[in-house]
Every structure is written in structure tokens, then in C-alpha cells.
Amino acid sequence: IPIDNIGFQFTMLPLTDTITAPKVGFHGYGLFFEGAQWDTNLQLLAESAPKLLFSAAPMVWFEPKTLDAIAHPPSYTCPVYKTPDRRGVLATTGH
């Protein structure tokens, strides 16, 4: 399969005490939302609480799939930065 035909299906995982490693892909953690928060009840991105600029994102399952097999629910496309400075080279695009 050509690398250009592979992408990731993203699944936000519920907060639990035990999370086992997936058979395919990986679990990512340590990300933060800026100006938003994750609504654990509705499983949706929501407005941040008043006077709260950053909020922790839940653990995310990055599941590799071919592009035609990825389900595209309503989503919000946004960049991921390694630093809160919002500058420099994006790891995802190289720009």
C-alpha cells in the first residue's frame, strides 16, 4: 500500500483506569486544547470554561487505515503544535 494512501482514524477514548495497548495503531496522550475543551458526556469538542485557556485532551487512539476506509464524522480540522508558541515548523506538514 503506498504511504500516500494511508491516514489515521482518530478516536477519543473515555477516561478509565485501565487502557491496554491497541493491536493496531497507538494511543496518544499529553495533548491540550486551546480555547476549547472535551465534553466527556457528549463526546464532542465544546467551548472552554470561563477564564480557562488550556484544557487537557483525552487519550486519542490513532488507528492507521487506508484513506477510503476512514470514517469522516463531523469534525474540526486544526493544526497540532509541539509548542504553545504557534510558530516554527509544523511537524505534520513541514511548513
Side-chain angles (χ1 to χ4, degrees), residues 1-2 8-9 20 24-26 31 33-35 37 42 47 52 62 64 72 80 86-87 89 91-92:
I1 300 173
F8 286 102
Q9 177 78 54
T20 58
V24 176
F26 67 95
L31 298 174
F33 295 114
E34 181 179 350
Q37 66 182 357
L42 297 175
E47 290 196 32
L52 183 65
F62 294 83
H72 293 283
V80 174
R86 287 188 176 190
R87 61 187 167 120
V89 177
T92 54

Side-chain angles (χ1 to χ4, degrees), residues 3-43:
I3 191 74
D4 293 345
N5 291 344
I6 296 175
F8 286 102
Q9 177 78 54
F10 302 98
T11 305
M12 304 302 241
L13 300 174
L15 298 174
T16 61
D17 292 337
T18 57
I19 295 180
T20 58
K23 292 181 181 181
V24 176
F26 67 95
H27 291 151
Y29 64 93
L31 298 174
F32 287 84
F33 295 114
E34 181 179 350
Q37 66 182 357
W38 186 251
D39 186 321
T40 55
N41 294 326
L42 297 175
Q43 295 293 298

